[in-house]
């Protein structure tokens, strides 16, 4: 099923790893020998399907730890980091931190009838989709569980520069996420940490389907993409894996497009 290494001391921690880009990344890294920790927040009704996906990761033969918690609650985060400290075997460390969080408010700024964005919507979205990257990075660093050469990877979108209806709060969060990534890359560089954002093209995930009018977004992306298909979670996972390689250690503080040329026109 892939390259496994049960003696590997490296772990990947994925925030939001039960579906979409995060799950595809977990599978990819497990296939290449990484032990995996997945932090997710899902309802009990969804856990049966999610557990089937987790079993696919376990099938690669490496360790998998899952935590169904609120990753944005400070107390829950502190407890989770302490648990990770205790669970990591002697000599093991986290080499890869992936931020794949899709929790935000999708509302218009103006509507004649429906509800519109308010200040609290921006704060909730910003906290989950941007600030949590720094919170987890800082907590894990303080816990001394990072590898000497750690890769931090987060996911942005074309909403970082383009205005889309109902996407205002998420756009604000994506811009902040990129700014945080740059500063993490700068200020944690002496400690061996590299940080980058991947800008995926339109990808058919549960998160996309939550955006009002997603069908037209999908069709527009297909028309723009010179490869005439949507980006897949596996495309993005492949890019994450490349950024974990030794050959990628000089890439940091940047946004890399993984969209098959979708944003060219």
């Amino acid at each position: 099923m892939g390259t496994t290494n049960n003696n590997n001391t490296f772990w990947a921690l994925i925030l939001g790893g039960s579906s979409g880009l995060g799950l595809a990344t977990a599978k990819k890294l497990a296939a290449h020998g990484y032990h995996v920790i997945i932090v997710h927040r899902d309802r009990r009704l969804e856990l049966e399907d999610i557990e089937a996906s987790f079993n696919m990761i376990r099938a690669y033969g490496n360790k998998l730890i899952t935590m169904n918690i609120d990753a944005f609650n400070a107390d829950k985060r502190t407890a989770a980091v302490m648990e990770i400290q205790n669970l990591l075997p002697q000599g093991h460390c986290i080499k890869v931190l992936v931020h794949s969080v899709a929790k935000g408010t999708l509302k218009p700024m103006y509507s004649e009838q429906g509800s519109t964005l308010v200040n609290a919507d921006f704060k909730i979205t910003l906290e989950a989709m941007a600030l949590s990257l720094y919170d987890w990075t800082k907590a894990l660093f303080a816990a001394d569980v990072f590898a000497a050469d750690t890769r931090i990877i987060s996911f942005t979108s074309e909403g970082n520069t383009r205005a889309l209806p109902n996407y205002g709060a998420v756009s604000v969060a994506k811009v902040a996420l990129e700014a945080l990534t740059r500063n993490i890359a700068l200020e944690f560089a002496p400690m061996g940490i590299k940080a980058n954002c991947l800008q995926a093209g339109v990808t058919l995930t549960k998160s996309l389907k939550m955006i009002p009018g997603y069908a037209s977004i999908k069709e527009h992306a297909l028309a723009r993409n010179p490869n005439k298909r949507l980006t897949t979670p596996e495309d993005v996972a492949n890019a994450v894996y490349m950024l974990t390689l030794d050959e990628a250690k000089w890439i940091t503080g940047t946004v890399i497009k993984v969209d098959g040329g979708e944003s060219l026109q």
Side-chain angles (χ1 to χ4, degrees), residues 4-84:
T4 59
N5 178 8
N6 294 323
N7 296 316
N8 192 2
T9 60
F10 290 145
W11 289 71
L13 171 56
I14 313 223
L15 302 174
S18 61
S19 64
L21 306 185
L23 179 60
T25 297
K27 291 176 181 177
K28 180 69 176 183
L29 295 181
H32 287 273
Y34 279 88
H35 307 297
V36 178
I37 301 168
I38 292 177
V39 177
H40 63 110
R41 189 70 178 127
D42 292 288
R43 296 173 297 179
R44 187 175 299 175
L45 290 173
E46 300 170 311
L47 292 180
E48 186 175 341
D49 289 339
I50 290 168
E51 194 60 32
S53 296
F54 289 166
N55 284 334
M56 294 173 67
I57 297 171
R58 293 186 182 101
Y60 288 108
N62 301 303
K63 295 182 178 69
L64 172 66
I65 296 169
T66 63
M67 298 179 176
N68 190 7
I69 62 168
D70 181 359
F72 318 119
N73 178 289
D75 292 336
K76 298 285 187 184
R77 181 175 57 250
T78 298
V81 171
M82 289 180 63
E83 186 177 353
I84 289 167

Side-chain angles (χ1 to χ4, degrees), residues 97-259:
L97 171 62
V98 177
H99 184 275
S100 179
V101 174
K103 177 187 176 183
T105 303
L106 295 163
K107 293 180 186 175
M109 288 185 167
Y110 169 78
S111 173
E112 292 184 353
Q113 298 176 340
S115 62
T116 55
L117 285 170
V118 297
N119 187 276
D121 294 323
F122 283 97
K123 288 179 178 176
I124 291 168
T125 308
L126 185 65
E127 179 75 28
M129 300 188 75
L131 299 181
S132 61
L133 172 67
Y134 176 63
D135 291 336
W136 275 89
T137 297
K138 187 176 182 180
L140 292 165
F141 180 77
D144 196 27
V145 293
F146 277 144
D149 175 16
T150 293
R151 314 298 170 90
I152 297 176
I153 299 156
S154 57
F155 299 137
T156 186
S157 71
E158 202 175 5
N160 57 3
T161 56
R162 295 187 66 207
L164 297 170
N166 304 294
Y167 205 72
V170 178
S171 286
V172 169
K174 292 300 187 186
V175 172
L177 180 69
E178 293 175 20
L180 284 166
T181 298
R182 286 192 295 271
N183 266 74
I184 289 170
L186 176 71
E187 299 193 46
F188 283 92
M191 281 65 79
I193 292 175
K194 293 85 179 172
N196 294 287
C197 276
L198 294 181
Q199 180 180 315
V202 171
T203 311
L204 196 56
T205 62
K206 183 168 64 174
S207 300
L208 175 67
K209 292 178 180 178
M210 293 175 67
I211 300 175
Y214 87 90
S216 61
I217 294 173
K218 171 186 169 183
E219 293 308 313
H220 185 55
L222 283 169
R224 291 171 65 207
N225 199 309
N227 285 290
K228 300 306 176 189
R229 72 166 175 84
L230 297 180
T231 302
T232 67
E234 291 71 27
D235 292 326
V236 182
N238 289 340
V240 172
Y241 172 63
M242 287 194 299
L243 285 176
T244 69
L245 298 175
D246 286 346
E247 290 84 351
K249 66 171 54 177
W250 207 237
I251 302 172
T252 192
T254 193
V255 176
I256 299 170
K257 293 182 181 181
V258 187
D259 66 359

